[in-house]
Amino acid sequence: MTAPDNILENGQENGSGTGTVAALETVATATCFGGTQGTYAHHSVVTGTAMRFAVFTPPGDGPFPVLFWLSGLTCTEDNFTQKAGAQRVAAELGLILVMPDTSPRGDDVPDDPDGAYDFGLGAGFYVDATVAPWARHYRMYSYIRDELPPLVAAHFPADMDRRAISGHSMGGHGAITIALKNPHMFRSVSAFAPIASPSRCPWGQKALSGYLGPDRAAWRGHDACALIGDGARLPDLLVDQGAADPFLDEQLQPHLLREACADAGQPLTLNLRPGYDHSYFFVASFIEDHLRWHAAHL
């Protein structure tokens, strides 16, 4: 499978309320384990900005199952692509990897006024903001759910009936909550060091109050523990967490996810990995386990 031409036009209706599938610009490609690792750009109707995402397409003709990977705070589409070492196993398994950016970007996109890393650019938290000035562009939930999948389906040899989702930290929160809210979309869900209950940690409280306002009832739809408590379910859930993660106790709180799943009868495999921190050294150490787990479900 070769990468898309430099500009691809497609007038197919995507069925998600965003109109026709956008033209896709190829920013860069490289051959990788016999497949193609590429970075692509398009105009997003959902965010009103240019957006970028990366795709690894394995060798062969497909169609291939698809894993969507959501990255964490400060990341772009490059972090997982360059640091996780996932392409070798994805090529072996015949698995497309899709890695979007973590927020809209551009001169007109607002950022945290204090320049903090945990809100604004690089910190979209995979929600649809409802509070000005964030509501205009910060709509990462709808981007991941509604706009990105039709783009992948239109331009890559993807079997969209076989989809999985995973992510790290803020992206782990996004992967679990998006799957809980849309259980028909994904056959398997996993996460690395997810923010288990953003309503009960500083990162999440800042983001949810900033994007959604002070009403905590609105936060429940973007809190994995609250969603599970309210009846949302997944067939299975795999989570890996580093025991030496400096954010473990204050921000990530995996015990809250374990308790919510136990109370609800939600299947969960939670692996606490001694000695591992929050970095991509941790992700790279266990990404093969997750990819093989997803492949078995797909």
PDB file of all heavy atoms in Angstrom, residues 141-160:
ATOM      1  N   TYR A 141     -13.612  15.781  20.876  1.00  0.00           N
ATOM      2  CA  TYR A 141     -14.490  14.609  20.978  1.00  0.00           C
ATOM      3  C   TYR A 141     -15.180  14.352  19.637  1.00  0.00           C
ATOM      4  O   TYR A 141     -15.148  13.235  19.104  1.00  0.00           O
ATOM      5  CB  TYR A 141     -15.532  14.830  22.080  1.00  0.00           C
ATOM      6  CG  TYR A 141     -16.596  13.761  22.136  1.00  0.00           C
ATOM      7  CD1 TYR A 141     -16.316  12.488  22.615  1.00  0.00           C
ATOM      8  CD2 TYR A 141     -17.900  14.029  21.703  1.00  0.00           C
ATOM      9  CE1 TYR A 141     -17.297  11.503  22.662  1.00  0.00           C
ATOM     10  CE2 TYR A 141     -18.881  13.057  21.751  1.00  0.00           C
ATOM     11  CZ  TYR A 141     -18.575  11.788  22.230  1.00  0.00           C
ATOM     12  OH  TYR A 141     -19.548  10.822  22.262  1.00  0.00           O
ATOM     13  N   SER A 142     -15.786  15.382  19.065  1.00  0.00           N
ATOM     14  CA  SER A 142     -16.457  15.211  17.778  1.00  0.00           C
ATOM     15  C   SER A 142     -15.463  14.964  16.652  1.00  0.00           C
ATOM     16  O   SER A 142     -15.778  14.252  15.689  1.00  0.00           O
ATOM     17  CB  SER A 142     -17.315  16.443  17.455  1.00  0.00           C
ATOM     18  OG  SER A 142     -18.451  16.489  18.291  1.00  0.00           O
ATOM     19  N   TYR A 143     -14.277  15.550  16.764  1.00  0.00           N
ATOM     20  CA  TYR A 143     -13.267  15.302  15.730  1.00  0.00           C
ATOM     21  C   TYR A 143     -12.896  13.823  15.695  1.00  0.00           C
ATOM     22  O   TYR A 143     -12.856  13.211  14.619  1.00  0.00           O
ATOM     23  CB  TYR A 143     -12.033  16.161  15.992  1.00  0.00           C
ATOM     24  CG  TYR A 143     -10.935  15.915  14.975  1.00  0.00           C
ATOM     25  CD1 TYR A 143     -11.035  16.413  13.685  1.00  0.00           C
ATOM     26  CD2 TYR A 143      -9.803  15.160  15.312  1.00  0.00           C
ATOM     27  CE1 TYR A 143     -10.040  16.174  12.746  1.00  0.00           C
ATOM     28  CE2 TYR A 143      -8.805  14.921  14.378  1.00  0.00           C
ATOM     29  CZ  TYR A 143      -8.927  15.424  13.103  1.00  0.00           C
ATOM     30  OH  TYR A 143      -7.946  15.176  12.166  1.00  0.00           O
ATOM     31  N   ILE A 144     -12.632  13.237  16.861  1.00  0.00           N
ATOM     32  CA  ILE A 144     -12.240  11.822  16.916  1.00  0.00           C
ATOM     33  C   ILE A 144     -13.419  10.919  16.565  1.00  0.00           C
ATOM     34  O   ILE A 144     -13.261   9.915  15.862  1.00  0.00           O
ATOM     35  CB  ILE A 144     -11.703  11.470  18.317  1.00  0.00           C
ATOM     36  CG1 ILE A 144     -10.462  12.303  18.661  1.00  0.00           C
ATOM     37  CG2 ILE A 144     -11.409   9.970  18.420  1.00  0.00           C
ATOM     38  CD1 ILE A 144      -9.303  12.096  17.735  1.00  0.00           C
ATOM     39  N   ARG A 145     -14.592  11.249  17.027  1.00  0.00           N
ATOM     40  CA  ARG A 145     -15.744  10.371  16.804  1.00  0.00           C
ATOM     41  C   ARG A 145     -16.316  10.494  15.402  1.00  0.00           C
ATOM     42  O   ARG A 145     -16.664   9.491  14.764  1.00  0.00           O
ATOM     43  CB  ARG A 145     -16.843  10.687  17.823  1.00  0.00           C
ATOM     44  CG  ARG A 145     -18.041   9.744  17.751  1.00  0.00           C
ATOM     45  CD  ARG A 145     -19.193  10.221  18.595  1.00  0.00           C
ATOM     46  NE  ARG A 145     -19.749  11.471  18.079  1.00  0.00           N
ATOM     47  CZ  ARG A 145     -20.800  12.091  18.607  1.00  0.00           C
ATOM     48  NH1 ARG A 145     -21.402  11.594  19.676  1.00  0.00           N
ATOM     49  NH2 ARG A 145     -21.237  13.222  18.083  1.00  0.00           N
ATOM     50  N   ASP A 146     -16.448  11.715  14.887  1.00  0.00           N
ATOM     51  CA  ASP A 146     -17.243  11.948  13.687  1.00  0.00           C
ATOM     52  C   ASP A 146     -16.444  12.263  12.431  1.00  0.00           C
ATOM     53  O   ASP A 146     -16.861  11.893  11.336  1.00  0.00           O
ATOM     54  CB  ASP A 146     -18.224  13.107  13.923  1.00  0.00           C
ATOM     55  CG  ASP A 146     -19.228  12.811  15.008  1.00  0.00           C
ATOM     56  OD1 ASP A 146     -19.535  11.626  15.223  1.00  0.00           O
ATOM     57  OD2 ASP A 146     -19.708  13.769  15.662  1.00  0.00           O
ATOM     58  N   GLU A 147     -15.343  12.981  12.554  1.00  0.00           N
ATOM     59  CA  GLU A 147     -14.658  13.480  11.361  1.00  0.00           C
ATOM     60  C   GLU A 147     -13.461  12.638  10.952  1.00  0.00           C
ATOM     61  O   GLU A 147     -13.255  12.366   9.763  1.00  0.00           O
ATOM     62  CB  GLU A 147     -14.212  14.931  11.581  1.00  0.00           C
ATOM     63  CG  GLU A 147     -13.722  15.591  10.294  1.00  0.00           C
ATOM     64  CD  GLU A 147     -13.539  17.092  10.426  1.00  0.00           C
ATOM     65  OE1 GLU A 147     -13.364  17.584  11.574  1.00  0.00           O
ATOM     66  OE2 GLU A 147     -13.563  17.780   9.391  1.00  0.00           O
ATOM     67  N   LEU A 148     -12.657  12.207  11.909  1.00  0.00           N
ATOM     68  CA  LEU A 148     -11.455  11.454  11.561  1.00  0.00           C
ATOM     69  C   LEU A 148     -11.757  10.074  10.971  1.00  0.00           C
ATOM     70  O   LEU A 148     -11.135   9.692   9.967  1.00  0.00           O
ATOM     71  CB  LEU A 148     -10.546  11.342  12.781  1.00  0.00           C
ATOM     72  CG  LEU A 148      -9.188  10.675  12.557  1.00  0.00           C
ATOM     73  CD1 LEU A 148      -8.383  11.404  11.487  1.00  0.00           C
ATOM     74  CD2 LEU A 148      -8.406  10.617  13.877  1.00  0.00           C
ATOM     75  N   PRO A 149     -12.683   9.285  11.512  1.00  0.00           N
ATOM     76  CA  PRO A 149     -12.926   7.955  10.927  1.00  0.00           C
ATOM     77  C   PRO A 149     -13.325   7.976   9.453  1.00  0.00           C
ATOM     78  O   PRO A 149     -12.791   7.167   8.668  1.00  0.00           O
ATOM     79  CB  PRO A 149     -14.029   7.366  11.816  1.00  0.00           C
ATOM     80  CG  PRO A 149     -13.804   8.025  13.136  1.00  0.00           C
ATOM     81  CD  PRO A 149     -13.409   9.436  12.803  1.00  0.00           C
ATOM     82  N   PRO A 150     -14.219   8.859   8.996  1.00  0.00           N
ATOM     83  CA  PRO A 150     -14.511   8.886   7.564  1.00  0.00           C
ATOM     84  C   PRO A 150     -13.304   9.266   6.704  1.00  0.00           C
ATOM     85  O   PRO A 150     -13.174   8.779   5.577  1.00  0.00           O
ATOM     86  CB  PRO A 150     -15.624   9.935   7.443  1.00  0.00           C
ATOM     87  CG  PRO A 150     -16.279   9.953   8.779  1.00  0.00           C
ATOM     88  CD  PRO A 150     -15.161   9.727   9.758  1.00  0.00           C
ATOM     89  N   LEU A 151     -12.421  10.122   7.220  1.00  0.00           N
ATOM     90  CA  LEU A 151     -11.198  10.448   6.479  1.00  0.00           C
ATOM     91  C   LEU A 151     -10.329   9.212   6.304  1.00  0.00           C
ATOM     92  O   LEU A 151      -9.808   8.948   5.217  1.00  0.00           O
ATOM     93  CB  LEU A 151     -10.408  11.510   7.238  1.00  0.00           C
ATOM     94  CG  LEU A 151     -10.691  12.976   6.923  1.00  0.00           C
ATOM     95  CD1 LEU A 151      -9.944  13.856   7.910  1.00  0.00           C
ATOM     96  CD2 LEU A 151     -10.271  13.312   5.496  1.00  0.00           C
ATOM     97  N   VAL A 152     -10.175   8.459   7.383  1.00  0.00           N
ATOM     98  CA  VAL A 152      -9.368   7.234   7.308  1.00  0.00           C
ATOM     99  C   VAL A 152     -10.009   6.239   6.353  1.00  0.00           C
ATOM    100  O   VAL A 152      -9.337   5.621   5.521  1.00  0.00           O
ATOM    101  CB  VAL A 152      -9.201   6.633   8.713  1.00  0.00           C
ATOM    102  CG1 VAL A 152      -8.528   5.264   8.649  1.00  0.00           C
ATOM    103  CG2 VAL A 152      -8.410   7.581   9.618  1.00  0.00           C
ATOM    104  N   ALA A 153     -11.321   6.092   6.444  1.00  0.00           N
ATOM    105  CA  ALA A 153     -12.021   5.148   5.572  1.00  0.00           C
ATOM    106  C   ALA A 153     -11.902   5.533   4.108  1.00  0.00           C
ATOM    107  O   ALA A 153     -11.811   4.668   3.230  1.00  0.00           O
ATOM    108  CB  ALA A 153     -13.494   5.068   5.976  1.00  0.00           C
ATOM    109  N   ALA A 154     -11.906   6.834   3.814  1.00  0.00           N
ATOM    110  CA  ALA A 154     -11.892   7.297   2.426  1.00  0.00           C
ATOM    111  C   ALA A 154     -10.514   7.193   1.785  1.00  0.00           C
ATOM    112  O   ALA A 154     -10.405   6.989   0.571  1.00  0.00           O
ATOM    113  CB  ALA A 154     -12.384   8.742   2.352  1.00  0.00           C
ATOM    114  N   HIS A 155      -9.451   7.320   2.574  1.00  0.00           N
ATOM    115  CA  HIS A 155      -8.117   7.481   2.007  1.00  0.00           C
ATOM    116  C   HIS A 155      -7.147   6.339   2.293  1.00  0.00           C
ATOM    117  O   HIS A 155      -6.022   6.349   1.774  1.00  0.00           O
ATOM    118  CB  HIS A 155      -7.500   8.793   2.502  1.00  0.00           C
ATOM    119  CG  HIS A 155      -8.247  10.017   2.047  1.00  0.00           C
ATOM    120  ND1 HIS A 155      -8.476  10.293   0.723  1.00  0.00           N
ATOM    121  CD2 HIS A 155      -8.835  11.018   2.756  1.00  0.00           C
ATOM    122  CE1 HIS A 155      -9.152  11.435   0.629  1.00  0.00           C
ATOM    123  NE2 HIS A 155      -9.383  11.886   1.842  1.00  0.00           N
ATOM    124  N   PHE A 156      -7.560   5.364   3.100  1.00  0.00           N
ATOM    125  CA  PHE A 156      -6.664   4.267   3.462  1.00  0.00           C
ATOM    126  C   PHE A 156      -7.425   2.946   3.381  1.00  0.00           C
ATOM    127  O   PHE A 156      -8.656   2.920   3.480  1.00  0.00           O
ATOM    128  CB  PHE A 156      -6.093   4.485   4.875  1.00  0.00           C
ATOM    129  CG  PHE A 156      -5.298   5.749   5.008  1.00  0.00           C
ATOM    130  CD1 PHE A 156      -5.924   6.933   5.385  1.00  0.00           C
ATOM    131  CD2 PHE A 156      -3.952   5.769   4.722  1.00  0.00           C
ATOM    132  CE1 PHE A 156      -5.200   8.124   5.492  1.00  0.00           C
ATOM    133  CE2 PHE A 156      -3.217   6.942   4.819  1.00  0.00           C
ATOM    134  CZ  PHE A 156      -3.846   8.125   5.198  1.00  0.00           C
ATOM    135  N   PRO A 157      -6.718   1.815   3.219  1.00  0.00           N
ATOM    136  CA  PRO A 157      -7.390   0.514   3.081  1.00  0.00           C
ATOM    137  C   PRO A 157      -7.841  -0.031   4.436  1.00  0.00           C
ATOM    138  O   PRO A 157      -7.367  -1.061   4.913  1.00  0.00           O
ATOM    139  CB  PRO A 157      -6.304  -0.355   2.436  1.00  0.00           C
ATOM    140  CG  PRO A 157      -5.027   0.209   2.968  1.00  0.00           C
ATOM    141  CD  PRO A 157      -5.251   1.700   3.041  1.00  0.00           C
ATOM    142  N   ALA A 158      -8.774   0.683   5.049  1.00  0.00           N
ATOM    143  CA  ALA A 158      -9.180   0.408   6.424  1.00  0.00           C
ATOM    144  C   ALA A 158     -10.503  -0.347   6.461  1.00  0.00           C
ATOM    145  O   ALA A 158     -11.449   0.000   5.749  1.00  0.00           O
ATOM    146  CB  ALA A 158      -9.313   1.720   7.195  1.00  0.00           C
ATOM    147  N   ASP A 159     -10.556  -1.358   7.301  1.00  0.00           N
ATOM    148  CA  ASP A 159     -11.805  -2.069   7.588  1.00  0.00           C
ATOM    149  C   ASP A 159     -12.410  -1.420   8.823  1.00  0.00           C
ATOM    150  O   ASP A 159     -12.063  -1.751   9.957  1.00  0.00           O
ATOM    151  CB  ASP A 159     -11.519  -3.551   7.834  1.00  0.00           C
ATOM    152  CG  ASP A 159     -12.773  -4.355   8.134  1.00  0.00           C
ATOM    153  OD1 ASP A 159     -13.855  -3.755   8.268  1.00  0.00           O
ATOM    154  OD2 ASP A 159     -12.661  -5.587   8.260  1.00  0.00           O
ATOM    155  N   MET A 160     -13.327  -0.483   8.630  1.00  0.00           N
ATOM    156  CA  MET A 160     -13.863   0.299   9.733  1.00  0.00           C
ATOM    157  C   MET A 160     -14.864  -0.474  10.588  1.00  0.00           C
ATOM    158  O   MET A 160     -15.327   0.035  11.610  1.00  0.00           O
ATOM    159  CB  MET A 160     -14.481   1.591   9.205  1.00  0.00           C
ATOM    160  CG  MET A 160     -13.505   2.480   8.459  1.00  0.00           C
ATOM    161  SD  MET A 160     -12.033   2.934   9.442  1.00  0.00           S
ATOM    162  CE  MET A 160     -12.751   4.150  10.533  1.00  0.00           C
TER     163      MET A 160
END
